[in-house]
Amino acid sequence: MSHLTPPRQLPDADASAPDPAAGTPAAPAETGAESDAPSGVHPTDDGAEAEAGTRVEASEPGRDPEAVEEADADTSPGAEEHEEQEELEEQEDKATGDEERGEAAEKTTDSLPAAVDGEHAPEGAEPHTGLATAGDETEPASQAADSARPRRFGRFRRHPRIATGVRVGTSVMAGAFVLGAILVPDRLDRFSFQTFLRLPVEAVYLAVILLALPSKARRIAAVATGTLLGLSTVLKCLDMGFYQTLARPFDLVFDWVLLTDAADWVKDSFGHTGEVLAVIGVIVLLVAVLVLSALAMVRLANVLDRYRPAAVSTTLVLGTVWITCFSLGVQFAGIPFATKGYSQFLANRVQYVRDGLGDADVFKKQLAVDAYANTPSDQLLTGLRGKDVLFTFIESYGRVAIDDPAMAPEIDATLNEGNARLKAAGFAAQSGWLRSPVTGAGSWLAHSTFLSGLWINNQQRYRTLTTGDHATLTSYFQKTGAWRTVGIVPGVRKAWPEGKYFGLDHIYDSTHLGYYGPYFSWTPVPDQFSLEAFQKLEHGKKNRDPIMAEIILASSHNPWSPIAHIIDWKDLGDGKIFYKIKKEGTNPTEVWKSAKSVRTEYRKAIQYSLDSLTQWMQRYGDDNTVLVFLGDHQPVPTVTAGSTSRDVPITIVARDPKVLDRVSGWGWTDGLKPADNAPEWAMNQFRNRFLKAFGPQS
């Protein structure tokens, strides 16, 4: 019979026949007996016709069952078509596969060989009815249909060793992922091979919980704990980045705005397309980590349940080992073997969040306190009337530049040369230390701390401060009406509404300094040009009022490559000369391959900023010029090499001896370099001490 032959129609059922649904069992046909079915009709069940058409009874005398299956596969008229159909169905969706499998079954029914009909059955063999009875050794129809149905992972089932390897490998990878996520530190400088050879108590707890829960609750717990593990892994990655730049962990309450700043940096560096691709990449990576961690935990939960006796015994042993090692303080290479670091990490995070949420109320109380809020304007800053006062921040000028043996000789030489230069021009200086609220980055937080007299160490405090009316040092100068207040902020490249809060009458950002030269990495304008622009735009004008200026020098901003160098002040022009200087500079990609190179370029950048400032004072300063310059924070940990100090140098320079007499009681060091034992103040203490020193004297 051809596989294209239409199916034969069964006659209508006899109304007098017993109802199969009524439970009447079908009588099995006797061996050698003639079939009672009408001529041309198979006595087989509809659901088993496909199976009956493709195999001969295994009970047939003299034939091996496996040989029968193999022979049938080779000789059945529909076998080749059936195999092709199997390969197609394995590649399609389950729903489509089900439908096609039904069609395949019908086609196989049509191609049944005549040998399966009762009238043509071999002598002594029973016709296959497809009905399972208690005494039958024949394969049930439902099982026969299942065995003929193609399955999605059929290839793996035909290769049990591969299937076992995949199953074991997946379980091992899931366990390694979970264990690694628990043990991985949140700081790059704590990575070591021994870090991952520890026994975390959290893994033992998880095993106990998953073994104790019933099936449904276990799956829910696995997904929940896996998702939590994924979130904590993402948080640890954020911590790594923040420790590398800010020497502190990511703040779940205050630091989200910094991610926007990071996106802006990517946009400035790689354009809008680069920003979009970076954001998409981060989102995809985040989702992937969460999904993988959840799947890994579910996988482990299933393994624990499948091998429950062994899992229970192993968990008890590991728990005993952890308690013993923790009690005895067992260590390998100085690292404790039994650890509960992940629990401590989560506990610290919870505490940070609680502190952050309560910080707003604490800061509001501090914001309301101002010892000079009710001081009349004519009693403010009386010791500086008629003077030009310049508050100048040198980006990343930290204590490491002066104390680190690898940098100290060159920095000392620069400070000594600058000190000699100023002395030759009739200036004197005194220096001390301030402790910044930030390190690595966050200059605006340090600036606002210095000027407001409040400890501004997070973005929430900064926003609360700049949207309120708490007076700053610069706004007190404005309040007197005796100074024109200006800001030289070359690092600002977009709107800066906070400038109004700081009491600045006029702000010169990077687009208003007359600079047409190149950027030096992050730095829009070289320091020497910024100071020259200040001279032309404000300080050098005749018949003007005294000036109070906030000047931010940005050439020493990360990544310190390439950097400018001092040229003749007369050659600055519109800044185009710096194109040639930039080409002669270093490549930041190459510099950042080595910590030593980074530290060298950082030191050169600080030297350039110091030289620019002292040369400007020598060139343009006069009897009425008072310069206060300081660092805003320490550089990134790559430069500080593990130092936890947040100290920055601060110096006051003046030609009028009466100015320095006002601060003689501070105990600062003469010259541009503060001594190691010079007084160290918190940066927020400077405002009130300065206002007191230069206010009315008792």
Side-chain angles (χ1 to χ4, degrees):
M1 178 184 294
S2 169
H3 69 279
L4 298 178
T5 304
R8 289 170 292 182
Q9 300 296 321
L10 296 175
D12 294 335
D14 187 357
S16 62
D19 186 1
T24 304
E30 296 181 2
T31 304
E34 193 170 338
S35 172
D36 294 336
S39 176
V41 179
H42 292 282
T44 59
D45 181 85
D46 291 345
E49 282 188 36
E51 176 69 15
T54 57
R55 60 184 295 178
V56 179
E57 289 296 334
S59 59
E60 182 177 331
R63 299 193 65 181
D64 180 54
E66 294 183 1
V68 171
E69 291 180 359
E70 195 172 311
D72 288 347
D74 294 334
T75 59
S76 297
E80 182 176 353
E81 292 83 353
H82 185 68
E83 291 177 358
E84 294 177 355
Q85 187 68 20
E86 282 187 341
E87 294 180 0
L88 291 174
E89 288 174 350
E90 286 178 354
Q91 302 174 8
E92 295 180 359
D93 185 78
K94 183 178 179 179
T96 306
D98 290 340
E99 180 180 350
E100 292 181 356
R101 283 193 292 270
E103 295 175 1
E106 293 180 3
K107 290 182 180 181
T108 308
T109 303
D110 297 342
S111 59
L112 288 174
V116 301
D117 289 351
E119 55 194 12
H120 299 291
E123 185 177 356
E126 290 183 358
H128 185 56
T129 64
L131 298 176
T133 61
D136 279 1
E137 296 180 0
T138 305
E139 185 180 12
S142 60
Q143 295 181 11
D146 286 343
S147 64
R149 184 181 297 120
R151 294 175 180 175
R152 187 172 300 276
F153 299 104
R155 288 187 177 87
F156 284 131
R157 292 191 176 90
R158 288 194 293 269
H159 301 85
R161 291 184 178 179
I162 296 178
T164 301
V166 170
R167 183 171 63 253
V168 173
T170 303
S171 300
V172 170
M173 287 190 295
F177 182 92
V178 171
L179 193 62
I182 293 175
L183 291 175
V184 65
D186 60 349
R187 296 177 57 167
L188 292 176
D189 58 353
R190 293 179 179 173
F191 267 78
S192 67
F193 180 71
Q194 292 81 5
T195 300
F196 297 94
L197 298 179
R198 296 181 295 166
L199 177 61
V201 70
E202 298 81 10
V204 178
Y205 282 146
L206 281 175
V208 171
I209 293 172
L210 294 176
L211 287 169
L213 292 174
S215 177
K216 184 176 181 179
R218 182 174 59 252
R219 287 194 296 270
I220 295 174
V223 172
T225 55
T227 303
L228 175 62
L229 194 64
L231 289 173
S232 63
T233 302
V234 172
L235 182 57
K236 286 183 178 181
C237 292
L238 288 172
D239 283 353
M240 293 177 196
F242 270 68
Y243 273 116
Q244 285 300 104
T245 55
L246 303 177
R248 64 172 178 82
F250 178 80
D251 194 314
L252 286 166
V253 178
F254 303 119
D255 283 342
W256 297 107
V257 66
L258 299 182
L259 301 182
T260 303
D261 294 337
D264 291 340
W265 179 85
V266 173
K267 181 178 180 181
D268 292 340
S269 303
F270 305 102
H272 180 67
T273 302
E275 178 191 21
V276 172
L277 292 176
V279 171
I280 293 175
V282 169
I283 293 175
V284 171
L285 184 61
L286 172 63
V287 173
V289 170
L290 296 181
V291 171
L292 286 175
S293 59
L295 291 177
M297 190 61 71
V298 171
R299 179 74 179 182
L300 291 182
N302 292 336
V303 171
L304 291 174
D305 183 58
R306 186 180 300 118
Y307 304 102
R308 178 173 291 273
V312 171
S313 301
T314 303
T315 301
L316 290 174
V317 170
L318 291 177
T320 303
V321 170
W322 188 92
I323 294 173
T324 302
C325 293
F326 185 81
S327 301
L328 298 177
V330 176
Q331 295 185 354
F332 297 102
I335 299 178
F337 174 70
T339 177
K340 54 178 181 177
Y342 185 72
S343 300
Q344 293 174 338
F345 169 78
L346 294 180
N348 290 338
R349 282 302 175 197
V350 172
Q351 187 60 45
Y352 289 158
V353 171
R354 292 178 60 185
D355 293 343
L357 294 175
D359 183 69
D361 294 333
V362 173
F363 185 64
K364 285 181 180 179
K365 295 178 181 179
Q366 297 173 356
L367 198 63
V369 178
D370 186 351
Y372 291 89
N374 298 321
T375 303
S377 60
D378 60 353
Q379 296 183 30
L380 291 169
L381 301 163
T382 55
L384 293 172
R385 297 299 172 105
K387 305 292 186 183
D388 294 321
V389 183
L390 317 178
F391 294 104
T392 305
F393 295 92
I394 298 179
E395 172 68 35
S396 300
Y397 179 33
R399 185 163 190 160
V400 66
I402 294 176
D403 287 353
D404 192 298
M407 306 180 204
E410 291 85 354
I411 295 295
D412 282 351
T414 298
L415 292 174
N416 290 335
E417 290 174 5
N419 200 51
R421 188 180 296 128
L422 292 175
K423 279 187 176 182
F427 291 96
Q430 291 190 2
S431 303
W433 300 105
L434 297 180
R435 186 174 68 256
S436 176
V438 293
T439 183
S443 301
W444 63 97
L445 303 179
H447 300 168
S448 55
T449 296
F450 178 81
L451 297 174
S452 70
L454 296 171
W455 195 251
I456 312 299
N457 61 346
N458 60 60
Q459 194 65 18
Q460 177 175 279
R461 287 192 167 207
Y462 178 77
R463 288 184 172 181
T464 304
L465 174 72
T466 55
T467 55
D469 56 3
H470 183 88
T472 63
L473 188 56
T474 47
S475 64
Y476 275 129
F477 275 90
Q478 185 185 54
K479 181 180 178 180
T480 64
W483 283 272
R484 169 174 165 78
T485 58
V486 299
I488 307 296
V489 287
V492 175
R493 288 174 274 184
K494 55 185 179 181
W496 188 46
E498 294 92 339
K500 183 178 180 181
Y501 163 75
F502 288 107
L504 301 176
D505 297 326
H506 192 80
I507 296 173
Y508 297 93
D509 60 20
S510 60
T511 62
H512 295 89
L513 294 175
Y515 179 71
Y516 293 94
Y519 278 27
F520 284 79
S521 290
W522 184 90
T523 308
V525 184
D527 291 349
Q528 187 181 7
F529 191 95
S530 297
L531 291 168
E532 179 67 14
F534 168 64
Q535 174 65 22
K536 292 179 179 179
L537 296 170
E538 291 288 344
H539 189 264
K541 290 182 178 180
K542 296 181 180 180
N543 301 320
R544 58 170 176 78
D545 292 333
I547 298 172
M548 191 291 305
E550 178 186 357
I551 303 173
I552 300 175
L553 301 181
S555 288
S556 52
H557 193 287
N558 184 336
W560 311 299
S561 175
I563 55 176
H565 58 75
I566 296 292
I567 61 175
D568 194 310
W569 292 78
K570 295 179 181 179
D571 296 336
L572 288 171
D574 61 0
K576 291 181 180 178
I577 191 175
F578 286 100
Y579 278 105
K580 179 181 179 181
I581 296 174
K582 181 179 180 180
K583 289 181 180 179
E584 297 171 352
T586 56
N587 185 328
T589 303
E590 295 299 321
V591 167
W592 279 82
K593 290 180 179 180
S594 165
K596 181 179 179 180
S597 298
V598 173
R599 291 157 63 81
T600 298
E601 295 304 305
Y602 164 78
R603 185 256 300 164
K604 291 179 180 179
I606 295 298
Q607 288 180 278
Y608 170 70
S609 297
L610 290 170
D611 283 338
S612 298
L613 192 54
T614 55
Q615 286 191 24
W616 185 91
M617 279 292 286
Q618 179 190 31
R619 185 179 180 85
Y620 299 115
D622 56 31
D623 292 345
N624 292 322
T625 304
V626 177
L627 170 66
V628 180
F629 73 91
L630 67 151
D632 48 14
H633 54 71
Q634 287 262 62
V636 296
T638 304
V639 178
T640 58
S643 173
T644 58
S645 172
R646 295 194 174 193
D647 290 351
V648 296
I650 181 170
T651 301
I652 297 180
V653 181
R655 183 180 286 174
D656 185 351
K658 294 180 181 179
V659 173
L660 295 182
D661 287 344
R662 294 263 184 161
V663 298
S664 59
W666 290 357
W668 286 14
T669 306
D670 290 338
L672 302 182
K673 178 184 175 181
D676 290 342
N677 60 350
E680 175 193 327
W681 303 342
M683 190 175 281
N684 61 315
Q685 295 177 329
F686 180 83
R687 188 202 76 155
N688 286 0
R689 294 189 179 188
F690 187 86
L691 288 172
K692 180 179 180 181
F694 292 99
Q697 299 295 301
S698 57

